Amino acid sequence: MWQKKIFLIFVAISTVSLLLHHGGHFSWNMDAFYLRCCGLHSHASSGLKPKHTNVAFVKTHKTASTTMQNLLFRFAERNNLTVALPVQACGHQFCYPRTFNSHFVHPHTLPPNIIASHMRFYKPEVQRLMSNDTIYVTILREPASMFESSFSYYTQHCQSFKRVPNASLDAFLEEPWRYYRPEEKDSMHARNTLTFDLGGDKDRPATDVEYAKKFVAEVDHVFSLVMIAEYFDESLVLLRHLLSWELDDILYVKLNMRMPNSKKNLTPGLPAKIRAWNSLDTQLYDHFNASLWKQLTTLGFGYVAKEVRLLRQAQERLMRSCFGGRLPLLRTAAQIKNKDLRPWQPSNKVDILGYDLPANLSHGFSTMAQELCLKLIMPELQYTRVLLRSQSIRYRQFHQLRLQQSHPPQQFIRTALPRHSPIHRSQPPPSAPGPMSESKPSTALTNVPGNR
């Protein structure tokens, strides 16, 4: 614990010092920023590994995962990669809460480099979809703060929460089995959500210590990095090194945040009750929080603090460039003029905030720079639609080109023939080939416990 405190104090002091030093020098050329940021690179041209572009991000609920998804979407577009997206029947998630199946993926988004939409993880099916060198990443959040967020967000959508009088979190935790129904479709929001999202059995008794240990070990084996929401920037530093990315690949703006008045203060004793009710999530978090700090220690606290400073400096410059020299102001959906930037609202009791771009953004900005700013703050639903549309266009163009290459137009050449010479008709062109047969899926590996 003392290591965390020393490290965070060091980052805070360094960041304040850096901002004071650069406070008056935040003019920024957006096109130059888009192409090359801050002189901190990890591309092959610098003698290091090339960027790793095959990533499976298991998007968990209420863990800052939407911010991470946006980062991955933008990386994919900049590098002309393919993102697996859900078929229209599934909405913007892979038919969650059903266990993931590769048939949930839109055919125009195959074969993918990246997958980052909500799913209930099932390793054999994700492996069948992704390449063999795919790196698996996910993110967790401290169970008490996460459960408070879920309770607030899903009060009108989760039956277990809707039954609670006066939407009282205290009342629910006083007698959770009075309101909770494990068989209900939406019950995963009311207990061990992280475990469920990662493919585990959310209702396994807390007394089953062996199951919990086995599940944590399996997650540890599958995922190369488990990020921690409370240490998001530090997690991104580890991600950047894991994937050999550049600093501008991990820039972000916080998305899907609630209004402060939508958040409930946890009364004394409530966090302990939440952690006990979500015992599997608690064990997951405690294990991977400790694991994160071991990785940061290996990288070196001084080095990590420097990268965190550079990340925050670059983000501030980017945000000031996009928002007319100022830091962005969070706005309610009603205050956002651009409908493409209005976040989805779960109920009239919870305000999810977003951003609006300045009206004069186009002045002095290239189209590429304007699009960067727009995508940086675009909510999940809208970005998913935009990305599916662009990838569908690319898919159709690619297959149209292949069809033309397979069947080039015949060129008829006039030849001088004797008047009564017989003319032999050419053979009709071969019939179009049938659909390409799918390659056989790779052998499914060990399943995550609780998927059956």
Side-chain angles (χ1 to χ4, degrees), residues 50-61:
K51 293 182 183 181
H52 194 94
T53 55
N54 296 321
V55 181
F57 175 66
V58 177
K59 188 177 189 292
T60 50
H61 285 79

Side-chain angles (χ1 to χ4, degrees), residues 256-330:
N256 212 36
M257 297 173 64
R258 288 177 294 161
M259 280 276 284
N261 60 11
S262 299
K263 300 177 182 179
K264 296 178 171 60
N265 292 322
L266 298 180
T267 57
L270 216 55
K273 289 182 178 179
I274 292 174
R275 289 173 67 87
W277 173 244
N278 298 277
S279 60
L280 290 171
D281 281 5
T282 297
Q283 293 185 62
L284 274 174
Y285 179 83
D286 289 347
H287 173 86
F288 288 105
N289 184 37
S291 175
L292 180 90
W293 283 94
K294 288 178 182 177
Q295 294 174 71
L296 293 173
T297 302
T298 300
L299 202 55
F301 285 156
Y303 184 78
V304 173
K306 177 184 175 182
E307 290 217 355
V308 168
R309 290 199 313 273
L310 290 170
L311 170 61
R312 292 173 181 174
Q313 174 194 9
Q315 285 186 173
E316 178 146 353
R317 287 183 172 179
L318 175 59
M319 288 189 289
R320 286 183 183 275
S321 297
C322 285
F323 292 91
R326 303 185 305 271
L327 293 179
L329 295 176
L330 286 165

Side-chain angles (χ1 to χ4, degrees), residues 48-318:
L48 300 178
K49 296 179 181 178
K51 293 182 183 181
H52 194 94
T53 55
N54 296 321
V55 181
F57 175 66
V58 177
K59 188 177 189 292
T60 50
H61 285 79
K62 311 310 299 172
T63 58
S65 62
T66 299
T67 300
M68 185 63 198
Q69 179 195 54
N70 178 279
L71 183 155
L72 290 169
F73 280 3
R74 287 182 286 111
F75 177 83
E77 288 198 286
R78 281 200 308 278
N79 292 278
N80 199 32
L81 304 175
T82 301
V83 179
L85 297 171
V87 294
Q88 291 179 333
C90 287
H92 69 287
Q93 305 176 347
F94 289 111
C95 287
Y96 187 88
R98 293 167 61 185
T99 300
F100 179 79
N101 188 294
S102 57
H103 296 300
F104 297 162
V105 180
H106 198 290
H108 290 182
T109 66
L110 296 172
N113 302 101
I114 290 174
I115 187 167
S117 298
H118 277 305
M119 69 167 80
R120 188 181 185 207
F121 183 61
Y122 182 49
K123 181 182 171 185
E125 283 295 306
V126 177
Q127 273 192 320
R128 180 182 179 187
L129 179 74
M130 305 297 292
S131 66
N132 291 334
D133 66 341
T134 296
I135 288 179
Y136 290 77
V137 178
T138 190
I139 186 168
L140 306 179
R141 181 179 175 184
E142 195 282 315
S145 63
M146 177 188 160
F147 194 78
E148 181 280 320
S149 179
S150 294
F151 189 87
S152 169
Y153 195 86
Y154 294 111
T155 295
Q156 300 299 313
H157 301 275
C158 176
Q159 296 300 314
S160 297
F161 294 157
K162 288 180 73 173
R163 296 187 182 96
V164 183
N166 302 317
S168 170
L169 179 58
D170 294 70
F172 177 86
L173 291 166
E174 192 65 34
E175 300 179 275
W177 285 107
R178 180 178 179 181
Y179 310 105
Y180 177 70
R181 307 286 188 275
E183 71 281 358
E184 290 176 339
K185 182 181 178 180
D186 51 24
S187 64
M188 66 281 170
H189 296 306
R191 193 182 193 199
N192 288 316
T193 308
L194 296 172
T195 299
F196 182 87
D197 287 352
L198 293 172
D201 181 359
K202 64 182 174 59
D203 294 303
R204 189 63 65 107
T207 53
D208 193 344
V209 178
E210 194 59 35
Y211 174 80
K213 288 182 178 179
K214 187 178 179 182
F215 182 68
V216 169
E218 181 67 20
V219 173
D220 206 354
H221 175 73
V222 171
F223 291 89
S224 298
L225 176 63
V226 178
M227 302 171 64
I228 297 296
E230 287 76 16
Y231 306 106
F232 193 75
D233 289 351
E234 292 79 10
S235 296
L236 285 179
V237 170
L238 293 175
L239 180 77
R240 191 183 85 77
H241 283 265
L242 175 66
L243 303 178
S244 297
W245 285 7
E246 298 175 7
L247 184 65
D248 54 340
D249 294 324
I250 60 171
L251 300 181
Y252 69 91
V253 171
K254 292 181 181 180
L255 300 175
N256 212 36
M257 297 173 64
R258 288 177 294 161
M259 280 276 284
N261 60 11
S262 299
K263 300 177 182 179
K264 296 178 171 60
N265 292 322
L266 298 180
T267 57
L270 216 55
K273 289 182 178 179
I274 292 174
R275 289 173 67 87
W277 173 244
N278 298 277
S279 60
L280 290 171
D281 281 5
T282 297
Q283 293 185 62
L284 274 174
Y285 179 83
D286 289 347
H287 173 86
F288 288 105
N289 184 37
S291 175
L292 180 90
W293 283 94
K294 288 178 182 177
Q295 294 174 71
L296 293 173
T297 302
T298 300
L299 202 55
F301 285 156
Y303 184 78
V304 173
K306 177 184 175 182
E307 290 217 355
V308 168
R309 290 199 313 273
L310 290 170
L311 170 61
R312 292 173 181 174
Q313 174 194 9
Q315 285 186 173
E316 178 146 353
R317 287 183 172 179
L318 175 59

